[in-house]
């Protein structure tokens, strides 16, 4: 299944809803060859416009889902169809739910020591039959990478979830994807933090009111500076001709 890609500030985003996105991931797992998946919110798109390496990675990625109300709004503002928001966290939950009990092997890489382990426990409780074959925190040195690669290769995951923050996680995946030979590698940002209960997701009413970005900024004051990416994103989108 091939989704239509539409441009949002130079980044090609797949026009997919959640069910289609998970269907595509299942196809990738079947296909066996490697695939890079990114979840593009306004902040990532702004970053890509200032980081040619990240932009090239996103535009070569197999699947880039519309993560965030801003991405969906911008695509529609320019006259493209974009069915719904596909948040990275929700994509991971839906994928876990879909593959639980099917033997699909998942590896959790990233977040602070102990967090991926807690996220694994959460997944095992919530998605009965899920097969998490390995976990490793995201605080390793370049010197430790060869061992880490061997560890991942030895368990042959079908899905590798990488939470090292944007853009490090996308660049890390591209660097090692062929060697790892993983059918599905997804950059998942703060997903393990939320699954582990270390960071709370915005209440549903705020998510529906498209205010999750504000909640995250309030909860993690170190993100306040990063929040400025959103108004800059809106201004940039509006400065382009509306369709
Ligand atoms: N992280 C990591 N190694 C690092 C830097 C960050 O594992 O060297 C983790 C961090 O603990 C967090 C995730 O990467 O779990 C990034 O989360 P954030 O919410 O910042 O995601 P983003 O907004 O970058 O997608």
């Amino acid at each position: 299944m091939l989704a239509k890609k539409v441009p949002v500030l130079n980044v090609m985003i797949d026009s997919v809803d959640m069910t289609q996105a998970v269907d595509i991931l299942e196809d990738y797992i079947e296909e066996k060859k490697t695939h890079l998946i990114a979840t593009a919110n306004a902040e990532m798109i702004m970053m890509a416009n200032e980081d040619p390496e990240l932009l090239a990675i996103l535009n070569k990625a197999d699947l880039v889902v519309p993560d965030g109300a801003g991405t969906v709004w911008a695509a529609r503002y320019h006259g493209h169809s974009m069915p719904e928001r596909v948040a990275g966290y929700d994509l991971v939950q839906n994928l876990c739910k879909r593959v639980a009990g099917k033997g699909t092997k998942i590896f959790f890489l990233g977040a602070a020591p102990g967090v991926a382990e807690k996220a694994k426990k959460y997944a095992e409780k919530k998605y009965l039959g899920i097969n998490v074959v390995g976990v490793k925190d995201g605080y390793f040195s370049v010197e430790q990478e060869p061992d880490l690669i061997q560890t991942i290769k030895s368990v042959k995951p079908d899905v590798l979830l990488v939470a090292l923050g944007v853009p490090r996680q996308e660049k890390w995946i591209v660097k090692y994807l062929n060697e790892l030979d993983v059918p599905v590698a997804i950059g998942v940002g703060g997903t393990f933090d939320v699954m582990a209960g270390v960071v709370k997701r915005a209440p549903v009413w705020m998510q529906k009111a498209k205010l999750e970005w504000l909640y995250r900024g309030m909860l993690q004051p170190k993100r306040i500076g990063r929040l400025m990416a959103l108004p800059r994103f809106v201004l940039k989108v509006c400065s382009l001709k509306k369709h």
Side-chain angles (χ1 to χ4, degrees), residues 107-136:
F107 196 108
F108 287 5
L109 170 65
V115 172
E117 187 63 48
K118 273 195 191 154
K120 173 182 186 257
K121 291 214 172 87
Y122 170 88
E124 287 170 344
K125 216 165 141 192
K126 185 136 195 220
Y127 309 110
L128 290 182
I130 194 159
N131 189 16
V132 181
V133 290
V135 295
K136 171 77 183 86

Side-chain angles (χ1 to χ4, degrees), residues 43 110-112 138-139 163-166 168-169 189-190 193 216 223 226:
E43 197 183 345
Y139 291 82
L164 301 174
V166 180
R168 186 172 161 218
Q169 59 197 22
D193 294 330
R216 293 176 87 189
R223 299 183 80 107
R226 291 169 52 176

Side-chain angles (χ1 to χ4, degrees), residues 162-199:
V162 184
L164 301 174
V166 180
R168 186 172 161 218
Q169 59 197 22
E170 286 72 25
K171 293 180 183 179
W172 195 91
I173 292 173
V174 165
K175 186 169 172 196
Y176 291 113
L177 191 56
N178 278 341
E179 191 177 347
L180 288 170
D181 201 21
V182 178
V184 168
I186 319 177
V188 296
T191 294
F192 300 152
D193 294 330
V194 179
M195 289 173 81
V198 176
V199 173

Side-chain angles (χ1 to χ4, degrees), residues 200-212:
K200 282 210 165 25
R201 231 181 139 190
V204 174
W205 72 265
M206 275 187 107
Q207 290 183 38
K208 284 199 177 136
K210 308 191 187 341
L211 290 174
E212 185 155 25

Side-chain angles (χ1 to χ4, degrees), residues 139-154:
Y139 291 82
F140 49 81
S141 63
V142 180
E143 292 73 39
Q144 292 169 313
E145 287 188 358
D147 279 351
L148 172 59
I149 300 303
Q150 283 318 311
T151 304
I152 300 172
K153 278 170 83 172
S154 69

